Amino acid sequence: MVNFVGSSLLDSVRIKDVTCTACGMLCDDLVVARALNSNTLSVVEHGCSRSAVLLEQPPAYPSARVHGKEVDHASAIQAATALLQQAKQPLIAGLGTEVQGMRAVLRLADHIGATLDHMNSAAMLRNTLVVQQSGWQVTTLTEVRNRADLIVAIGTDIVSVLPRFFERCVWVEATLFDQAPAQRDIVFLGGRHDDLSFASSPDGRPAQVLPCDMEQIPELVAALRALVTGRSLPVDQVAGIAMQDLQQLAQRLREARYSVLAWSAASLDYPHAELSIANITGIVSQLNQTTRSAGLPVGGSNGDSSVNQTSVWTSGYPLPNSYARQHPDYDPWQHSSAQQAAHADAVLWISSLDPSRRPPPSDTTTIVLGHAAMQFEQEPAVYIPIGTPGVDHSGTAFRCDSVVSLPLKPLRPSPLPSLSRVILDIEAALDIEAALHASGKGDAHAD
């Protein structure tokens, strides 16, 4: 819905029900004003610090570049196509996009035999390994909003990942089942947090904080799992937290009607962090023998939920995977960007949502399909500016709980092509080159 606002009908338009892709919550209640004379956007209602960064950047429409020289779009497509044709082991990385963009990427990867990896795959893999090895019982943001009476955040404050989590999922006015949200208990277990005032209940009751250093979380969650299962531990404290406090938390978990244990895989950045996540989900499994409990993995930046979901339903595999053998091949270690960096002879880096997520410095030939505000320390061989989904063009994105997909609508007219449009242009050029080579005219055309 669009309403006119301002001193005259020609000043700006107000756009309601905007879906924001700045984090994995995909808040879809934003109100954004667009200035008609400049196409600049401003978040009028329901924004956060992240949505302001995403939506309020001044519009930029740079030219494509080849080796730092400005060229037209067709010339950039031709240059990118030539580099991808020559590559024996291409890597498509970054993958900051949404569903339609990822569908095009998968098609291109199949076409050129590329390996695929998302910029967040190291964190994503910590969760994936647990799902593959033992399964898990996880919930949705809507279930948290309507059912949870005890939320335990392990190693994260949640809002640094999902800024409006407490506003939209915890301290709400009403629930479907007439629970009293103000009576919910919040516990922060592990990590060090400076300001947790946002987690205080509407009547001023503060959250409980049981802090420890991040590297101590493995022993902490292992101890909590033992206590929840009824075992006793002959120690006075674990990770600096008194055993009495941990025993009380274990008892509160057993007595809760619907407890939620939340974690951020990106925050658990230490060796074998998947074992900590396995212990968290093990606590949930134990609790569900006598009450109701669920896990809540929080995350979802730069389209990682959308990209992974699209890869799974299309190929049967999560990321990272490879099409080098002319079929999808899943290997989370061999096909990771870290491993492929030593072997890839061309990197296609995609980042349409966040201009700060640039390709890492490398001697490998790099093609960037990126945000129009992107700046480079190391100029890529080819740079083609693309539009931002949900700002410059439409799209579809998955929320971090992977059960809801939301439409992204354009907020302003833009000359920038979408990622899927650019990939279509590259595919058309590849097919033309293939036809020329098949007819014996490829060398002449290349000249």
Side-chain angles (χ1 to χ4, degrees):
M1 180 177 180
V2 177
N3 295 326
F4 288 96
V5 297
S7 58
S8 77
L9 293 181
L10 300 179
D11 286 338
S12 63
V13 292
R14 180 185 291 249
I15 310 167
K16 294 184 176 182
D17 302 324
V18 172
T19 300
C20 173
T21 60
C23 80
M25 280 192 71
L26 295 187
C27 298
D28 59 350
D29 61 344
L30 276 68
V31 179
V32 175
R34 172 169 62 86
L36 295 180
N37 61 346
S38 63
N39 273 341
T40 56
L41 305 173
S42 56
V43 181
V44 178
E45 296 178 25
H46 307 307
C48 67
S49 58
R50 286 195 176 192
S51 65
V53 171
L54 172 73
L55 298 173
E56 295 184 354
Q57 295 187 58
Y61 310 118
S63 298
R65 299 192 296 271
V66 175
H67 299 299
K69 181 181 177 181
E70 291 187 359
V71 299
D72 60 25
H73 179 78
S75 298
I77 292 293
Q78 185 178 11
T81 301
L83 293 174
L84 291 174
Q85 271 189 320
Q86 295 165 11
K88 304 294 184 184
Q89 292 184 268
L91 169 66
I92 305 179
L95 295 180
T97 185
E98 43 73 62
V99 171
Q100 276 77 16
M102 187 57 186
R103 292 180 71 174
V105 167
L106 288 164
R107 196 175 59 241
L108 177 63
D110 190 26
H111 198 141
I112 65 175
T115 297
L116 296 167
D117 195 18
H118 193 276
M119 61 181 82
N120 295 345
S121 67
M124 293 160 62
L125 181 60
R126 295 168 196 148
N127 286 335
T128 300
L129 289 174
V130 175
V131 175
Q132 291 173 332
Q133 293 170 5
S134 60
W136 62 11
Q137 296 162 298
V138 295
T139 190
T140 68
L141 297 178
T142 304
E143 284 283 276
V144 173
R145 175 188 175 98
N146 288 306
R147 296 184 183 275
D149 59 340
L150 171 61
I151 299 173
V152 181
I154 300 174
T156 179
D157 62 3
I158 300 181
V159 297
S160 60
V161 183
L162 307 177
R164 296 180 65 198
F165 175 80
F166 283 87
E167 173 193 345
R168 301 200 76 199
C169 298
V170 182
W171 307 130
V172 296
E173 293 184 1
T175 69
L176 286 177
F177 307 106
D178 297 325
Q179 281 189 324
Q183 299 304 311
R184 288 171 167 160
D185 290 326
I186 311 297
V187 179
F188 292 92
L189 180 64
R192 306 276 180 185
H193 311 293
D194 296 329
D195 180 12
L196 297 175
S197 57
F198 54 82
S200 297
S201 68
D203 59 7
R205 184 166 45 87
Q208 182 182 9
V209 182
L210 301 175
C212 73
D213 294 333
M214 291 298 291
E215 59 267 21
Q216 296 177 297
I217 286 180
E219 59 185 290
L220 183 61
V221 294
L224 182 60
R225 183 178 184 180
L227 293 173
V228 166
T229 58
R231 299 174 185 175
S232 61
L233 300 175
V235 293
D236 296 328
Q237 56 84 28
V238 176
I241 298 173
M243 181 56 63
Q244 181 180 358
D245 290 336
L246 284 178
Q247 289 171 334
Q248 290 175 351
L249 177 57
Q251 185 62 27
R252 289 168 72 185
L253 286 166
R254 287 192 291 262
E255 294 174 352
R257 289 180 299 172
Y258 194 116
S259 62
V260 172
L261 279 67
W263 72 92
S264 164
S267 299
L268 304 180
D269 190 11
Y270 47 78
H272 304 297
E274 70 275 6
L275 299 181
S276 296
I277 297 172
N279 269 326
I280 295 170
T281 58
I283 293 170
V284 169
S285 179
Q286 178 65 31
L287 290 170
N288 275 315
Q289 296 184 26
T290 55
T291 183
R292 195 169 184 186
S293 181
L296 181 69
V298 297
S301 66
N302 277 287
D304 55 14
S305 297
S306 301
V307 164
N308 215 41
Q309 287 290 316
T310 308
S311 177
V312 169
W313 86 56
T314 303
S315 71
Y317 296 113
L319 296 179
N321 59 26
S322 176
Y323 288 78
R325 298 179 180 177
Q326 306 304 311
H327 60 78
D329 178 32
Y330 173 71
D331 189 317
W333 290 276
Q334 181 181 347
H335 299 325
S336 68
S337 294
Q339 292 294 323
Q340 288 296 312
H343 307 290
D345 51 1
V347 174
L348 177 59
W349 181 269
I350 295 168
S351 182
S352 64
L353 297 165
D354 184 351
S356 70
R357 297 305 295 269
R358 300 180 292 267
S362 171
D363 294 331
T364 306
T365 298
T366 303
I367 303 162
V368 174
L369 309 183
H371 194 287
M374 189 173 284
Q375 301 291 324
F376 302 100
E377 297 178 4
Q378 181 179 332
E379 182 71 22
V382 179
Y383 165 59
I384 301 177
I386 57 176
T388 299
V391 177
D392 299 304
H393 61 83
S394 61
T396 305
F398 268 89
R399 209 168 62 184
C400 64
D401 52 13
S402 299
V403 298
V404 173
S405 63
L406 290 165
L408 309 176
K409 56 188 175 185
L411 304 181
R412 62 189 175 204
S414 174
L416 296 169
S418 66
L419 172 62
S420 54
R421 176 69 261 174
V422 172
I423 290 179
L424 279 171
D425 291 342
I426 291 174
E427 288 177 317
L430 286 169
D431 288 338
I432 291 170
E433 291 294 332
L436 288 168
H437 280 285
S439 65
K441 300 178 182 179
D443 293 339
H445 179 77
D447 292 335

